[in-house]
Amino acid sequence: MSSAKGSSLRHVLNGPRCCPRLPQRRWAQVHDVRFVATHQPVSEKIFEKYKDKLDRKAKAVGVKDANELKKVFLEKSQGQTTSSPPSSQTAPDAVSTMAPSALSRISPSLSVPKIPKPNAGLKSLSSFLDLPKTLELPAKEIETIWRLRHASSPRSLCAAIPHPFYKKLEATARRHPQFILPLAREGQGAEIHFLQWTFPTPESSTVLFTHLAEYKLRGEYAQPHTSVTHHLELAKDKEVVLLQGQVQDGRGVSVDEARWLLMSLQKFYAGDGARAELLERFSRGDQAFKVEDVVEEAEKIM
C-alpha cells in the first residue's frame, strides 16, 4: 500500500518540487479561534465612526448602505439560530452547503463560502484537449502533453493522477467534503486554510481553498485563492485523471504554497490512522477535534 501511494504521489504536482515544508513545532503555534464570536454588540458611537467603511462594504455586497447591511447581518444571525436542522435525507452525491459543527466552532456565526453553481465557468477536458485524438495515445504521452499544455501559465497547477488513487480521494471527499489545512508562515505560526470539495458534473470534481481568516471576515462572500478541477473523461479508458488548477494572483498564496496545500490534501484524504480520524472528527463536529492535531500531522508530511 505504501509503495502504491508513493508511486501515485509522484504524479501529483508539476513544476519544481520545492514545496514549502512545515518547520518544527517550536514556532508552529495556533491561536485558539474555535470559540471566536463575530456578532458582538456594536454601540452607535462605534457604528457612526465606521459608517463610511460600512457603506463601502454594503455596496460591495449589494445592499444600499450601512444601516441596511446591519439589518441583513442581524436577520441572518437570527435566522441561523432559529432555523431547524437540515434533513439527513441527502442524495449520496450531493455536497452539503452547511458548515460542519467543527467549522462552526472555529467561526460560530458564519456559513460556508458560496459554492459556484454547477458548470459556472467550469471548463471540460475537451476545452483543453482533442479527446478523440488523445484517446489514441498512451497514458505517459497524455501526461506529457498535459504538462506542456500548462507550462506557459506561471500560476497554474496540473497533474496526471492514477485513477485508483483518485477514486480513494473521491470516496473520502464525498464523506468529508470540508476540512482545514495549515500552511507554515515563518515567525507567525501556522496559517489555516479552509477547503471544500464539490462535484459539479459526473466527470469532474473541484476543490476550493480559502483563507480561514477571510472566511471568518466575509462568510459566504469569501473568495477562494486556489481552485482545482479533476477531469475524469479519460479515467475509464486510460486509467488517468487529469488535474488542472489556478492560483489567484495577489491573494497571499504562492504557487508553491498552493502545491503544498494540494499535497497535504492528498496526504489526508488518501491517508489512514490519525489523519483519517481527524477528518471524521471534523465532519461530525467532535469536541475532541483540535486544530493543533492537524498541524502536528501536517508537520509529518515530507
Side-chain angles (χ1 to χ4, degrees):
M1 178 62 73
S2 60
S3 61
K5 289 182 182 178
S7 174
S8 59
L9 282 172
R10 284 196 294 270
H11 296 268
V12 171
L13 304 171
N14 67 321
R17 298 180 182 177
C18 55
C19 299
R21 296 174 59 182
L22 287 166
Q24 297 300 313
R25 295 185 67 200
R26 59 177 178 269
W27 60 264
Q29 300 175 354
V30 179
H31 299 292
D32 189 354
V33 295
R34 289 172 291 162
F35 300 97
V36 174
T38 58
H39 290 324
Q40 298 296 334
V42 181
S43 70
E44 289 302 319
K45 183 177 179 180
I46 295 177
F47 181 77
E48 290 299 326
K49 179 178 179 181
Y50 294 100
K51 190 173 184 301
D52 290 341
K53 290 183 178 180
L54 290 170
D55 282 338
R56 290 194 293 271
K57 172 68 175 179
K59 292 178 181 178
V61 300
V63 297
K64 183 179 178 181
D65 55 25
N67 290 316
E68 187 174 339
L69 178 66
K70 184 179 178 182
K71 290 179 182 178
V72 171
F73 200 55
L74 290 173
E75 288 172 1
K76 179 181 174 183
S77 175
Q78 292 168 359
Q80 288 175 342
T81 59
T82 59
S83 59
S84 59
S87 169
S88 59
Q89 302 300 319
T90 305
D93 60 345
V95 178
S96 172
T97 58
M98 297 297 293
S101 298
L103 187 59
S104 298
R105 287 191 285 113
I106 295 173
S107 295
S109 58
L110 298 175
S111 59
V112 293
K114 277 186 175 178
I115 305 173
K117 293 181 180 179
N119 302 320
L122 181 68
K123 292 184 178 181
S124 65
L125 190 58
S126 60
S127 65
F128 297 99
L129 300 173
D130 185 328
L131 289 183
K133 291 182 178 179
T134 302
L135 284 168
E136 299 174 359
L137 303 174
K140 280 291 184 183
E141 192 169 340
I142 292 173
E143 178 181 350
T144 301
I145 292 173
W146 186 243
R147 294 184 184 279
L148 290 174
R149 175 68 177 75
H150 294 88
S152 61
S153 178
R155 302 198 68 82
S156 71
L157 303 170
C158 76
I161 305 174
H163 189 212
F165 179 72
Y166 170 80
K167 286 195 292 186
K168 184 170 186 179
L169 293 177
E170 181 180 316
T172 306
R174 288 186 181 275
R175 297 194 307 272
H176 312 295
Q178 300 157 356
F179 195 54
I180 57 172
L181 289 173
L183 182 64
R185 294 295 188 188
E186 187 68 41
Q188 302 177 32
E191 181 181 83
I192 307 301
H193 296 254
F194 172 70
L195 71 87
Q196 184 169 8
W197 288 79
T198 67
F199 300 90
T201 72
E203 294 185 328
S204 67
S205 67
T206 65
V207 186
L208 305 177
F209 293 91
T210 308
H211 290 283
L212 183 60
E214 180 173 353
Y215 164 74
K216 288 167 55 184
L217 180 65
R218 304 189 66 196
E220 64 180 278
Y221 299 102
Q223 296 296 315
H225 57 72
T226 301
S227 58
V228 173
T229 301
H230 300 90
H231 298 279
L232 281 73
E233 288 91 332
L234 303 178
K236 182 178 178 180
D237 296 314
K238 296 300 178 180
E239 283 294 300
V240 65
V241 174
L242 299 181
L243 176 153
Q244 168 264 330
Q246 191 71 23
V247 184
Q248 298 299 316
D249 195 13
R251 301 303 300 276
V253 173
S254 69
V255 174
D256 281 341
E257 288 169 338
R259 289 189 183 118
W260 173 258
L261 287 171
L262 187 55
M263 178 171 283
S264 296
L265 175 149
Q266 293 186 342
K267 289 285 190 177
F268 274 89
Y269 276 77
D272 48 23
R275 292 171 188 169
E277 179 60 24
L278 284 168
L279 285 165
E280 292 284 351
R281 290 179 183 176
F282 185 85
S283 293
R284 66 176 180 253
D286 196 320
Q287 293 292 327
F289 177 83
K290 296 180 181 178
V291 179
E292 292 86 349
D293 292 338
V294 181
V295 174
E296 183 176 353
E297 283 301 316
E299 286 175 349
K300 299 175 185 177
I301 298 174
M302 301 301 293

